[in-house]
Amino acid sequence: VRTPRRSNQRTRIADELARLDTFISAQGLHFRLRLAGEQISLSTVYRTLHLLADLGRLDCVREPGGERLYRHRPGSQHRHYLTCRHCGLTLVVDATVIEEWAEQLRIVAGFAHLEHAVELSGVCGECGSETPEQSLK
Ligand SMILES: [Zn+2]
Ligand SMILES: [Zn+2]
């Protein structure tokens, strides 16, 4: 048997992620799909998330606990996020300065296909008023 079913499952996984429009773990996404009656294995969810990441269809951030969270990326342009280390709140940030700087650097250095990864984390206003800052390295 060829793999139309598997590609169909991938579509379901991608659709569910797009519908959510928030960060979710692979387990969380798997749980939602199972609730919706989908017979999809967790390993298929993982494989599909990696595939979508390779295709630039999603954004990935790392939780303070080390778990990866995934979110559908609406455009082809990648985005940068500001994450609260305490509660996991994640905001999309305007990274125009970073994009322009990286592009200039690319031209000056004569590189092609330059990639970058910028992760910003801190303590959000709500968490900061409750707990003193702890520096996490
Ligand atoms: Zn917070
Ligand atoms: Zn960027």
Side-chain angles (χ1 to χ4, degrees), residues 78 80 98-99 116:
H78 70 262
H80 294 282
I98 291 171
E99 304 308 330
H116 63 262

Side-chain angles (χ1 to χ4, degrees), residues 13-133:
I13 293 166
D15 285 351
E16 185 67 21
L17 195 64
R19 205 180 1 255
L20 272 168
D21 195 32
T22 182
F23 279 98
I24 190 168
S25 66
Q27 283 95 338
L29 187 61
H30 180 239
F31 183 70
R32 286 184 60 100
L33 288 160
R34 293 300 292 259
L35 275 184
E38 298 288 334
Q39 300 292 316
I40 297 177
S41 69
L42 182 58
S43 60
T44 301
V45 172
Y46 272 114
R47 273 201 302 275
T48 304
L49 287 171
H50 289 150
L51 185 76
L52 292 171
D54 287 345
L55 294 171
R57 296 268 311 278
L58 58 76
D59 292 309
C60 178
V61 295
R62 216 182 262 266
E63 252 195 341
E67 186 175 30
R68 285 175 184 277
L69 299 178
Y70 304 90
R71 179 180 182 155
H72 171 71
R73 182 189 294 167
S76 58
Q77 196 76 7
H78 70 262
R79 296 189 290 185
H80 294 282
Y81 297 95
L82 176 59
T83 308
C84 174
R85 288 194 294 265
H86 284 271
C87 69
L89 171 76
T90 309
L91 305 171
V92 178
V93 297
D94 175 16
T96 310
V97 174
I98 291 171
E99 304 308 330
E100 289 175 356
W101 169 77
E103 178 62 10
Q104 266 176 21
L105 195 73
R106 188 190 68 74
I107 293 165
V108 170
F111 271 50
H113 311 297
L114 192 76
E115 291 178 13
H116 63 262
V118 177
E119 288 185 31
L120 301 160
S121 70
V123 179
C124 76
E126 208 157 308
C127 292
S129 61
E130 291 169 5
T131 39
E133 158 71 327

